[in-house]
Amino acid sequence: MRLGKVMVVFGTRPEAIKMAPVIKELKKVQDIETLVVVTAQHREMLDQVLHLFAIVPDYDLDLMKEQQDLYSITTGVLNGLKEIMEQEKPDLVLVHGDTTTTFAAALAAFYQRIPVGHVEAGLRTRNKYSPYPEEMNRSLTGRLTELHFAPTDLSRENLLAESTAAFKIWVTGNTVIDALMETVQPDYKFGEELKEINLKNRILLVTTHRRENWGDRMRDIYQALIQLVEEFDDVEVVFPVHKNPTVKDIALEMLEGRERFHLLEPMEYEPFSNLMNASYIVLTDSGGIQEEAPSLGKPVLVLRDTTERPEAIQAGTVKLVGTIQKHIYEAARLLLSDRQEYDKMAHAVNPYGDGKAARRIVKVVKDFLYVRIGASNL
Ligand code: UD1
Ligand code: UDP
């Protein structure tokens, strides 16, 4: 029996990583027609993930422009999806997380009265501008959603606190753990891109890209790294630099050519996740990495003032250190010089899932489509 058509829409690297397991599970269900639409809000960083998980989009809006802004992404996604949704008439649109693609795709579906399923629903800081614009993107997407796939009990509670009906929420775990379990291998062999790096040294793995950190805050973060590398001669910084020119320009200006600093292109997900596994400490303002590194037992220093992912902080493997140079330096210095402090943080915790999130999500999608068919036959 044909159950219906599900359109999965995403546009950036993290959405692709976290939707790949859902697409894989959906494609196992013959009675569901699965369509993949990429907005390509990101280009190269998205294509890396599509390639790794062998995802061939049915539609590609190819939106990315150098120095794009929030207006052009929002309108590009809305206008681009209008025709595709009119033509394909999906029974359900699945979006992920908190990017501008996520919100604009949910709005495009709503304009055609197509129900929306939101994967990674209910994360909140309750600060409109931090992270910006993600907090509003995910809150507004939540208002447009019928099926909320909350990764944890806490994200479910956030949704309930906003008067979301309990019967529309499922706690599934985060699909990032499903993806990670597919890629991290104990005997992984790194390729040429890491040949300059002495993996016997203690690796500080760094990523930065958040809009609210652009400018002086980013300079402060990089200054703290310089201080740490000067003080500890067995430490190397590995920093796959985000493609955003605003981030890249400051990183290159301050760090390029320095001893034991390795500024790389964005890495493929497989070597990156294995490098996380081989690192000593992770310093990041990323969302997804805050979920992945704890499950690998790696201490994470979060370079932000707020986080929508407090679960691993409660479990003790993540610290919110902010962006002030002194605070970052002192938190990392403690971990690098005090083994007991390090061991306190370095234990694997998995508040974000057991690797079966995508299966749970697809089960709910199937039930939803069954009920729709039943209702339309009444
Ligand atoms: C976007 C998301 C953010 C998410 C992040 C993940 C919004 C508003 N922001 O931020 O929520 O956490 O992705 O990385 O949705 N670029 C390239 N090649 C790429 C990707 C980006 O050149 O493959 C450059 C382009 O010049 C582009 C710029 O980066 O204009 C910014 O991309 P954009 O998607 O607007 O913002 P991000 O900071 O990547
Ligand atoms: N990642 C990657 N290569 C890199 C850096 C990060 O594959 O060079 C992965 C990382 O493991 C995580 C995701 O990209 O799954 C996070 O993306 P990003 O930090 O861009 O976005 P956020 O999670 O903050 O939305």
Side-chain angles (χ1 to χ4, degrees):
M1 182 178 52
R2 187 180 179 278
L3 280 177
K5 192 186 281 187
V6 176
M7 183 179 282
V8 184
V9 185
F10 55 94
T12 65
R13 170 173 67 190
E15 294 167 88
I17 292 169
K18 290 166 161 187
M19 278 308 215
V22 178
I23 293 168
K24 189 172 162 193
E25 283 302 311
L26 275 172
K27 294 222 164 176
K28 287 185 192 163
V29 187
Q30 283 183 350
D31 301 332
I32 295 179
E33 186 186 346
T34 303
L35 283 178
V36 176
V37 180
V38 297
T39 65
Q41 173 180 337
H42 283 175
R43 187 70 277 170
E44 303 90 326
M45 286 161 61
L46 175 74
D47 291 345
Q48 283 183 328
V49 185
L50 296 178
H51 174 255
L52 171 66
F53 291 106
I55 297 169
V56 181
D58 298 281
Y59 295 91
D60 187 336
L61 299 182
D62 199 18
L63 285 182
M64 198 195 83
K65 293 192 191 68
E66 183 96 343
Q67 305 287 12
Q68 62 200 4
D69 63 21
L70 298 174
Y71 298 88
S72 69
I73 306 170
T74 308
T75 52
V77 173
L78 257 185
N79 291 328
L81 290 179
K82 176 174 181 280
E83 211 172 298
I84 298 173
M85 287 181 178
E86 274 169 1
Q87 201 177 308
E88 293 289 350
K89 299 190 178 4
D91 299 288
L92 179 69
V93 168
L94 287 183
V95 295
H96 180 277
D98 55 22
T99 71
T100 296
T101 286
T102 313
F103 165 56
L107 188 60
F110 166 71
Y111 282 165
Q112 295 186 37
R113 296 188 169 83
I114 303 165
V116 174
H118 187 199
V119 179
E120 198 179 86
L123 278 66
R124 296 287 184 271
T125 62
R126 300 203 173 79
N127 179 337
K128 202 176 184 175
Y129 295 110
S130 180
Y132 166 83
E134 289 82 3
E135 178 70 5
M136 281 319 279
N137 280 343
R138 58 188 167 227
S139 307
L140 294 168
T141 302
R143 300 291 295 136
L144 299 166
T145 292
E146 324 299 327
L147 310 178
H148 302 261
F149 300 111
T152 66
D153 288 330
L154 190 71
S155 39
R156 176 177 184 272
E157 280 165 28
N158 288 337
L159 290 165
L160 291 174
E162 292 171 2
S163 304
T164 310
F167 72 89
K168 293 184 172 181
I169 310 171
W170 289 266
V171 178
T172 59
N174 197 310
T175 56
V176 79
I177 305 298
D178 305 27
L180 192 70
M181 283 182 171
E182 251 192 66
T183 56
V184 174
Q185 299 139 31
D187 51 356
Y188 185 80
K189 296 272 175 296
F190 293 100
E192 281 294 289
E193 74 270 35
L194 300 190
K195 69 175 189 306
E196 305 287 324
I197 300 161
N198 181 356
L199 290 168
K200 294 204 177 83
N201 274 336
R202 293 189 290 178
I203 303 297
L204 305 188
L205 181 59
V206 177
T207 77
T208 59
H209 72 82
R210 295 248 86 84
R211 270 183 161 68
E212 61 279 13
N213 285 348
W214 288 356
D216 286 347
R217 285 165 170 252
M218 236 160 230
R219 288 181 187 279
D220 259 31
I221 295 171
Y222 301 156
Q223 204 56 52
L225 298 175
I226 294 171
Q227 222 182 332
L228 289 163
V229 170
E230 275 170 6
E231 182 166 338
F232 294 92
D233 58 12
D234 68 335
V235 159
E236 312 220 1
V237 168
V238 183
F239 182 2
V241 182
H242 194 286
K243 282 264 178 207
N244 193 331
T246 316
V247 176
K248 202 169 174 174
D249 290 351
I250 304 180
L252 293 181
E253 176 206 315
M254 289 186 64
L255 306 175
E256 199 180 27
R258 285 182 179 271
E259 205 186 325
R260 285 178 285 120
F261 272 89
H262 307 278
L263 270 55
L264 311 176
E265 286 294 314
M267 290 171 68
E268 293 267 357
Y269 185 57
E270 197 169 42
F272 181 79
S273 52
N274 282 284
L275 182 60
M276 234 183 322
N277 203 27
S279 298
Y280 199 67
I281 306 173
V282 180
L283 295 102
T284 187
D285 64 9
S286 159
I289 295 172
Q290 290 178 58
E291 297 153 347
E292 293 164 331
S295 80
L296 300 172
K298 301 297 164 181
V300 185
L301 301 179
V302 177
L303 309 167
R304 294 168 49 175
D305 297 331
T306 59
T307 182
E308 58 294 274
R309 294 165 167 94
E311 292 88 347
I313 296 183
Q314 279 151 18
T317 62
V318 169
K319 262 189 204 154
L320 197 61
V321 293
T323 56
I324 293 170
Q325 180 188 339
K326 184 168 178 282
H327 296 172
I328 302 166
Y329 164 74
E330 282 173 358
R333 185 177 186 278
L334 182 67
L335 293 178
L336 288 167
S337 52
D338 186 331
R339 186 71 212 193
Q340 268 186 336
E341 286 296 324
Y342 182 85
D343 289 342
K344 265 201 257 167
M345 274 187 89
H347 52 268
V349 290
N350 243 332
Y352 300 110
D354 57 2
K356 295 181 188 150
R359 263 180 263 177
R360 293 189 187 97
I361 290 166
V362 171
K363 161 100 180 52
V364 174
V365 167
K366 270 167 81 175
D367 291 349
F368 172 79
L369 294 174
Y370 268 123
V371 171
R372 262 172 81 92
I373 289 176
S376 66
N377 286 338
L378 284 177

